[in-house]
Amino acid sequence: MANKLQASSGASSRQNIKGYAFISPWILGFIAFLLLPIAMSIYYSFCDFNPLVKSGPLFIGTANFQDLAHDPIFWKALRNTFWYAAIAVPSSLVVSLGLALLLNMRIPGQPVFRTIIFLPSLVPTIASAMLWLWIYNSRYGLLDAMLDRIGITGPGWLTTTEWAMPSLMFMSLWGVGYTVVIFIAGLQDVPRELYESAEIDGASSIRRLWHVTLPLLSPVIFFNLIMAIIGTFQVFATPYAMTQGGPDRATYFYTYYIFDNAFTNNKMGYACALGLIQLVIILALTGIATWSSKRWVHYQGR
Amino acid sequence: MQVAKYIILSILLLLAGYSLIWGPRAEFTPTKGTVVIQYWEKWTGLEGSEMEDIVNKYNQNEGRQKGIYVQYLSMANVSQKTLIATAAGTPPDVAGVWDTQLAQWASTDALEPLDDFVRNYSDYKLDANYYKSVYWDACHFNGKLYGLVSTPANIGLQYNKALFAENADALRAAGCDPTRPPRTFAEFDRYAAALDKKQGDKVFRVGFAPMEPGWYAPQLPFWFGGELFDQKTQHFTLTTPQCVAAMEWVKSYSKRLGAAALNDFRNGLGDFASINSPFITGQSVMELYGPWSANYIGLLKPSMNDPTNPAWMDANFSTLPAAQRQAVLDRHMAKPWQERQKLAQYAFAPFPSVYVDQLITPRHTVDQLTDEELIDNGVTYCCFDVLVIPAGSKHKKEAFDFIAYVNRTDVMEKLCQLHCCTSPLAHNSPTWLSNHPNAYMSVFDRLTRSPRAHHLPIIPIWPEVIDELNNVCQRISLLNQEPADALRESQDILQAKLDQFYARHPEARGTNGQ
């Protein structure tokens, strides 16, 4: 008996070693490229760290965070990012859900419509930015040409402080293809019999949407919400290519400010402090969303 | 099916093997004992390949004799890549960056001082007398030399002669002479207003818009007799009356044209390096610009260089075979510069300045001003690309040899002509001006020798400064803030940033930045 147990424990430890050996590339990669940079970034956020200074980072305690409290550009970038997220996150969810519902209907040419909606997501961000620069162009742009036809003169979409941010928000809807695909996958998982029962009970299509589709789709909505929050707080490439954060920093986003501090101003410590705050904000918002999800996310089989 | 698969695979393997053994090779493979230096440069496209030609010449001649081989790598975002490589201890031996980064990098000892190399260089005499003082001074930080110029430029007034002629009546009605550029600020404003084309709330053409292209709007105080920074006291001077006057002037254009109309107009403008460039399309008649514009015009709209070029060429020039394009450009360059000036539909002149304004008296009117007076009292802003040796370079001596080669008169002149830029050298060959693709190079050249030629302030936090100043200009031109208030706010923000930098890096504090 004792021999049997010993043999089985030996086999299990051999199995464990094999298991660890198989996952070791990931563990090493995780430590080297994620855990260590995060830990160093946290340390650097308490340092005056110019990567070009030979003496290396100089520990300055919480000075970076104190400076941030009095930095008008930090507050402006933070305000811009929150404002963008407040509009772009719900609108992209609503638009993509609406599109998913339409594309889930059994109509002729359904795969073609799905492809058309998904295609813009495949266009690289910078290429999309170039395209939209032309769409927003007041002399040759498609948007102003259409508005002109109904007698409206378009504003300077990207050159006025009032319109630059809404223009970027509107443009963000261009890339909802991925979210739509996830919603469609979720919609296909909704059991048909629930719709049939609701129909027998006399529920209208609006009621079926409200009482059947949305509750059963809530885990997917929750997932897309979290991804959208994270995505909007990391917006960088589009304003970098289209507006360079202007005019008058109207489209200057938080990640843009991190980039400028790290790679233009060589203030890596300050950039790390900004990054740490960004992490805390994203974690807090994700936490709030997760906490609130208990009330509105319904998992099947629970 | 299986057989076909193996056949295709074998063919591919054979092709790969053939390419490896007999495929293309680099033109020159460094022999054993040759020191290979890495050179990272920001220029891509045409400018990048022009520099590559110079590198190749060095490798084939001087480099080969001295046992140095330059490996040239043209890349985007060179400063960020050099920053990361330098921080990692594996920098390139030579980096082509901007003057805006020189003080920032030098203040943290991230660049090798070049003074000893310059002193010991024996191929030709490299010293302060070799360069125009404005460029030589700008290459220093706290008394040490940290880089040598690659291609410099300076800024003047670019104006569309053809549109002046086309709107001669309107200009005359406004009391302006359509045969010459404006000379004083008062005149300039009249010219600009007369050349504006507006219908209702829509602007179709601007005589001048300070923010178009707006690259040098933060430096406008120079033309108003002001400075942005006092090198001696290390204090910003943004609240001086001259700086406020410059920004009030920016504001006056937004007020006259209407901020919303101007924004709408600017939103419709094309890229400066395209056929839709507002100067090329005639949407912007006068601009604060550099000499390189002539290169773009020559490539994008040949008829602006020479109206005898057929109109079809304008739309299709870039699609013509390279040899045919070059033939057109060569034909143009074969003409004497005086003739090229006459043919050109555009011209360059000193941008008005308060110093010229001060020369005007009831006895000495604006029309009596001589060219000498205009140039000698002219103001210009000199900016440049710079070659540096990042700290940690493995082959400093060899790297400097290449930098010095680029600065040799014949090489520098060739590079500046190819890039259509000013020369940083105090003395040039007799044919330098006449062979320059910009027929107005003499204007730029003389301005760089003026005592009022400015380089950018030597400040270790310049990237933050210029970002803030650009935003000030935007805010003012959008009429979002009064100039005096915006400048006062920026003065406080920037001074606090600089003071903090010096508090943390006391060794970087210089007395005069030279």
Side-chain angles (χ1 to χ4, degrees):
Chain A
M1 184 67 180
N3 279 349
K4 260 191 177 175
L5 271 174
Q6 221 169 1
S8 112
S9 130
S12 125
S13 80
R14 268 198 305 278
Q15 285 280 64
N16 283 348
I17 290 168
K18 267 187 196 169
Y20 285 125
F22 275 117
I23 60 166
S24 62
W26 183 86
I27 289 177
L28 287 176
F30 175 74
I31 292 170
F33 300 116
L34 210 66
L35 205 60
L36 206 62
I38 290 174
M40 285 171 79
S41 164
I42 292 171
Y43 171 67
Y44 290 150
S45 66
F46 295 97
C47 295
D48 178 53
F49 178 29
N50 180 330
L52 295 176
V53 174
K54 285 177 198 143
S55 54
L58 173 76
F59 188 79
I60 50 168
T62 56
N64 280 333
F65 296 94
Q66 287 168 29
D67 288 348
L68 278 175
H70 303 107
D71 181 352
I73 307 174
F74 161 73
W75 289 110
K76 175 104 182 172
L78 193 63
R79 216 170 27 243
N80 284 345
T81 309
F82 265 104
W83 171 226
Y84 179 81
I87 304 293
V89 171
S91 54
S92 74
L93 283 178
V94 169
V95 169
S96 48
L97 180 60
L99 286 169
L101 288 168
L102 287 173
L103 293 173
N104 201 40
M105 290 162 81
R106 286 191 185 144
I107 49 162
Q110 185 202 49
V112 176
F113 292 123
R114 283 183 181 179
T115 310
I116 289 170
I117 295 294
F118 186 68
L119 266 181
S121 317
L122 299 175
V123 179
T125 313
I126 298 298
S128 295
M130 293 300 117
L131 181 75
W132 279 86
L133 271 176
W134 280 110
I135 291 176
Y136 285 137
N137 187 298
S138 62
R139 190 176 159 101
Y140 311 102
L142 190 67
L143 189 60
D144 273 23
M146 281 158 62
L147 289 175
D148 268 349
R149 282 179 176 241
I150 51 171
I152 298 173
T153 306
W157 298 107
L158 298 171
T159 51
T160 52
T161 41
E162 298 82 12
W163 281 100
M165 181 63 94
S167 300
L168 293 191
M169 287 170 181
F170 182 67
M171 188 197 150
S172 72
L173 299 177
W174 165 260
V176 294
Y178 279 115
T179 321
V180 173
V181 167
I182 296 169
F183 273 132
I184 291 173
L187 284 169
Q188 313 244 308
D189 261 1
V190 179
R192 298 269 349 134
E193 52 270 27
L194 290 180
Y195 286 118
E196 284 160 13
S197 311
E199 219 171 328
I200 291 165
D201 288 346
S204 65
S205 52
I206 301 284
R207 278 188 169 275
R208 286 204 296 275
L209 172 71
W210 192 252
H211 292 290
V212 178
T213 311
L214 289 182
L216 288 174
L217 205 59
S218 58
V220 180
I221 297 174
F222 176 60
F223 170 78
N224 280 334
L225 173 71
I226 300 289
M227 298 313 286
I229 289 172
I230 294 171
T232 47
F233 271 87
Q234 293 177 339
V235 166
F236 170 71
T238 306
Y240 183 76
M242 289 179 76
T243 59
Q244 292 80 51
D248 189 17
R249 296 200 179 102
T251 58
Y252 199 53
F253 285 83
Y254 197 89
T255 308
Y256 203 150
Y257 193 40
I258 294 179
F259 174 85
D260 273 351
N261 273 296
F263 299 109
T264 308
N265 304 338
N266 296 355
K267 290 161 85 173
M268 202 60 86
Y270 201 63
C272 288
L274 282 160
L276 193 62
I277 290 174
Q278 186 183 37
L279 177 73
V280 171
I281 291 170
I282 292 175
L283 280 179
L285 289 173
T286 310
I288 291 169
T290 310
W291 170 77
S292 74
S293 70
K294 286 174 197 152
R295 292 165 190 269
W296 60 272
V297 178
H298 309 280
Y299 292 97
Q300 284 187 69
R302 281 197 190 174
Chain B
M1 198 64 190
Q2 280 292 87
V3 176
K5 216 187 278 179
Y6 283 119
I7 290 171
I8 292 169
L9 197 67
S10 307
I11 292 170
L12 286 174
L13 278 171
L14 277 172
L15 279 173
Y18 176 86
S19 306
L20 273 173
I21 300 163
W22 292 288
R25 288 283 179 277
E27 278 179 25
F28 171 73
T29 314
T31 51
K32 210 176 170 194
T34 301
V35 176
V36 178
I37 63 167
Q38 301 286 329
Y39 167 31
W40 292 3
E41 185 49 82
K42 75 192 92 53
W43 298 313
T44 52
L46 187 65
E47 288 174 330
S49 61
E50 286 165 352
M51 188 68 202
E52 194 172 8
D53 287 346
I54 284 171
V55 170
N56 288 341
K57 286 240 164 65
Y58 175 81
N59 285 338
Q60 284 154 14
N61 302 303
E62 283 78 1
R64 193 184 282 258
Q65 286 162 19
K66 294 176 181 176
I68 304 168
Y69 181 79
V70 180
Q71 211 158 49
Y72 175 72
L73 195 58
S74 150
M75 61 178 74
N77 293 333
V78 70
S79 52
Q80 275 122 36
K81 284 166 187 160
T82 309
L83 166 78
I84 293 165
T86 307
T90 54
D93 298 296
V94 179
V97 292
W98 290 274
D99 55 347
T100 53
Q101 288 158 327
L102 202 73
Q104 186 195 27
W105 288 41
S107 67
T108 51
D109 292 332
L111 300 178
E112 290 293 339
L114 305 181
D115 304 86
D116 287 343
F117 294 117
V118 163
R119 232 183 329 268
N120 299 326
Y121 190 69
S122 56
D123 281 14
Y124 63 95
K125 195 157 173 55
L126 247 177
D127 58 12
N129 297 323
Y130 185 68
Y131 292 94
K132 288 172 183 161
S133 60
V134 66
Y135 294 110
W136 178 254
D137 292 347
C139 287
H140 284 72
F141 181 77
N142 283 347
K144 286 184 188 167
L145 178 73
Y146 282 100
L148 286 178
V149 176
S150 50
T151 51
N154 63 306
I155 307 307
L157 168 66
Q158 170 179 251
Y159 64 100
N160 191 320
K161 279 195 299 189
L163 284 173
F164 271 38
E166 212 176 290
N167 295 278
D169 291 343
L171 283 169
R172 277 195 204 95
C176 309
D177 179 352
T179 62
R180 65 159 176 83
R183 293 172 171 176
T184 63
F185 275 116
E187 262 198 359
F188 189 89
D189 292 343
R190 284 204 305 275
Y191 272 73
L195 292 161
D196 287 341
K197 198 168 156 189
K198 227 181 146 188
Q199 207 169 56
D201 279 344
K202 250 186 154 29
V203 176
F204 293 94
R205 183 179 68 207
V206 289
F208 178 77
M211 297 304 286
E212 190 44 54
W215 301 326
Y216 309 107
Q219 281 86 359
L220 270 171
F222 295 154
W223 281 271
F224 283 80
E227 296 285 346
L228 302 172
F229 187 70
D230 184 339
Q231 293 287 163
K232 285 208 174 77
T233 60
Q234 294 288 302
H235 272 79
F236 288 92
T237 52
L238 304 179
T239 52
T240 56
Q242 292 90 342
C243 289
V244 175
M247 292 301 127
E248 284 286 353
W249 189 68
V250 170
K251 180 184 145 190
S252 71
Y253 275 76
S254 295
K255 287 210 97 166
R256 181 163 59 74
L257 289 157
L262 195 53
N263 277 325
D264 185 38
F265 169 73
R266 288 189 57 230
N267 195 39
L269 299 178
D271 184 65
F272 79 97
S274 73
I275 187 73
N276 296 315
S277 144
F279 186 74
I280 290 178
T281 55
Q283 290 165 284
S284 173
V285 187
M286 297 189 286
E287 289 184 347
L288 196 56
Y289 223 91
W292 64 86
S293 169
N295 249 10
Y296 285 103
I297 291 171
L299 290 170
L300 297 167
K301 197 175 179 187
S303 70
M304 258 183 111
N305 257 349
D306 181 350
T308 59
N309 282 324
W312 63 262
M313 209 179 255
D314 287 348
N316 302 298
F317 195 62
S318 60
T319 61
L320 294 180
Q324 203 177 336
R325 273 203 316 262
Q326 198 53 48
V328 173
L329 296 172
D330 288 347
R331 203 170 51 238
H332 182 65
M333 280 306 295
K335 291 169 184 147
W337 64 271
Q338 295 91 335
E339 195 185 332
R340 284 190 282 132
Q341 270 197 4
K342 273 187 202 147
L343 286 169
Q345 303 295 292
Y346 58 96
F348 294 91
F351 198 80
S353 76
V354 289
Y355 304 106
V356 173
D357 286 7
Q358 286 160 7
L359 298 176
I360 310 295
T361 62
R363 289 184 184 177
H364 192 57
T365 64
V366 67
D367 287 317
Q368 290 168 320
L369 287 168
T370 63
D371 277 355
E372 275 62 38
E373 281 176 320
L374 288 169
I375 297 265
D376 293 345
N377 291 282
V379 174
T380 190
Y381 165 59
C382 301
C383 44
F384 56 93
D385 294 347
V386 61
L387 293 176
V388 295
I389 304 179
S393 151
K394 307 280 185 298
H395 309 291
K396 299 181 191 79
K397 193 170 157 280
E398 291 79 8
F400 182 78
D401 191 83
F402 172 68
I403 293 177
Y405 168 79
V406 175
N407 275 258
R408 205 175 70 190
T409 306
D410 58 328
V411 181
M412 178 55 78
E413 284 185 357
K414 186 186 172 194
L415 183 61
C416 291
Q417 283 175 348
L418 287 170
H419 285 196
C420 201
C421 284
T422 322
S423 166
L425 309 180
H427 306 286
N428 289 292
S429 60
T431 54
W432 154 250
L433 291 174
S434 52
N435 288 346
H436 200 282
N438 187 323
Y440 289 87
M441 182 39 67
S442 62
V443 173
F444 287 102
D445 189 69
R446 287 172 68 190
L447 280 172
T448 55
R449 295 169 197 274
S450 144
R452 294 188 179 103
H454 290 256
H455 55 72
L456 58 83
I458 298 167
I459 309 174
I461 59 160
W462 179 256
E464 288 177 79
V465 175
I466 193 65
D467 180 53
E468 178 64 28
L469 294 180
N470 276 325
N471 275 290
V472 164
C473 294
Q474 285 177 16
R475 224 175 299 155
I476 291 167
S477 75
L478 290 163
L479 302 180
N480 285 353
Q481 200 174 17
E482 284 300 313
D485 296 339
L487 288 166
R488 195 169 41 248
E489 260 178 38
S490 289
Q491 165 88 21
D492 294 344
I493 290 170
L494 292 173
Q495 195 61 52
K497 283 188 176 184
L498 185 64
D499 291 345
Q500 187 192 61
F501 178 84
Y502 283 138
R504 289 181 185 168
H505 304 274
E507 70 287 353
R509 181 186 279 275
T511 49
N512 59 7
Q514 303 295 301

